[in-house]
Amino acid sequence: MRSLLSFLFFLAFATPALASDGVLEINQACATSADGCFPGDAGGWPVTIASRGSYRLTGNLSVPTNTKAIQIDSNFVTLELGGFSVDGTNTCSGYPVLGCTLVQGVPGIQSSQYLVTVRNGSVTGMGGGCIYLTGPSSEVDNVRVLFCGWHGIEMGPLGRVSHSVSVANMLYGISMNDGGWLVDSETRGNRSQGVFMGGTSHGGSLIQNLSTDNGGTGIQAGSSLILVTKNVATGNAVVPQISGGTSLGDNMCVATRC
């Protein structure tokens, strides 16, 4: 009996935290342990996601200075932040931002894989960008970022950002790429452009976004193939408040349709 109890005790601490719905869990305890959170994660920072599937934060993560929190090395991954926050130590001053304690440091959540989704939570105080999903066809939804030492959110080709807020970061609030889609999101108080969308071959869409009090243009589209409509830009330091792209004439710049 004693041997059986010992074996069961070992299993409880040796196996990854697996929720009843099959989602693998991430928390401060496993992120800082030598054993890691699940197979493929070597232990310590960053938490490394090496296999496709669903992953969920079950508490806030407190990340040391200029340290990557989560590295995603597989395609077809969904990272559910669960309303929790991934917090570094970086701070930025000024509104729009004039400087940060760390600049061009390590990103918070990073992946170069395709079809990666990060949603429903916050990422703050990273030495570099807060969320960098540079692989194709990835998505950020319902996320808030703050005090990032570079872009708040950076997406690769065909990326999507929706219902998200990027405030007081060192460079762009949200940086989109060729064929991207940005909808119903806010950028405020960033040092440079609130939103920048580059790329020339696949176009893209910037629809129903709010960009205010940024140190550069509120919304800048790098190609005439990008549709820019139903956006509001006001209080940004560089005019025109909305630049580039093809507009349907239904944007608002300060108090004037543009």
Side-chain angles (χ1 to χ4, degrees):
M1 177 62 73
R2 180 175 297 176
S3 297
L4 177 60
L5 290 175
S6 298
F7 178 70
L8 292 175
F9 180 82
F10 170 78
L11 285 180
F13 288 92
T15 56
L18 186 66
S20 60
D21 54 3
V23 179
L24 289 165
E25 297 180 353
I26 300 172
N27 52 53
Q28 187 77 13
C30 74
T32 55
S33 74
D35 297 325
C37 293
F38 29 70
D41 178 26
W45 303 107
V47 175
T48 299
I49 296 174
S51 300
R52 65 178 61 189
S54 294
Y55 299 79
R56 178 189 301 141
L57 260 64
T58 57
N60 298 324
L61 297 184
S62 181
V63 185
T65 298
N66 203 28
T67 300
K68 187 183 299 183
I70 299 174
Q71 173 70 36
I72 301 173
D73 287 338
S74 175
N75 309 310
F76 301 104
V77 166
T78 295
L79 175 59
E80 170 65 57
L81 300 180
F84 294 106
S85 185
V86 179
D87 297 317
T89 63
N90 202 15
T91 60
C92 301
S93 59
Y95 192 83
V97 163
L98 298 175
C100 302
T101 53
L102 290 169
V103 176
Q104 285 187 272
V106 176
I109 297 175
Q110 185 173 27
S111 180
S112 60
Q113 305 299 308
Y114 58 84
L115 292 170
V116 171
T117 297
V118 177
R119 64 190 185 198
N120 300 330
S122 302
V123 183
T124 72
M126 296 298 151
C130 280
I131 300 177
Y132 269 26
L133 302 185
T134 55
S137 300
S138 291
E139 182 175 0
V140 171
D141 179 60
N142 193 31
V143 169
R144 295 156 298 283
V145 299
L146 173 72
F147 291 167
C148 314
W150 206 234
H151 306 317
I153 298 171
E154 180 167 355
M155 304 299 293
L158 309 175
R160 298 168 56 128
V161 177
S162 55
H163 313 109
S164 294
V165 180
S166 183
V167 181
N169 304 296
M170 187 61 190
L171 200 57
Y172 304 151
I174 299 175
S175 177
M176 304 296 295
N177 210 313
D178 200 17
W181 183 75
L182 174 67
V183 62
D184 197 20
S185 295
E186 298 180 36
T187 55
R188 296 184 261 110
N190 300 286
R191 188 181 186 195
S192 188
Q193 279 90 343
V195 173
F196 176 78
M197 178 178 280
T200 59
S201 59
H202 294 97
S205 299
L206 299 169
I207 303 174
Q208 200 168 308
N209 302 291
L210 173 64
S211 187
T212 63
D213 302 320
N214 297 286
T217 304
I219 295 173
Q220 182 175 344
S223 168
S224 60
L225 294 175
I226 298 169
L227 174 65
V228 183
T229 188
K230 299 184 184 302
N231 301 285
V232 176
T234 182
N236 301 289
V238 176
V239 293
Q241 300 282 309
I242 297 175
S243 175
T246 297
S247 172
L248 299 183
D250 203 16
N251 298 292
M252 184 68 71
C253 297
V254 189
T256 305
R257 284 180 176 249
C258 58

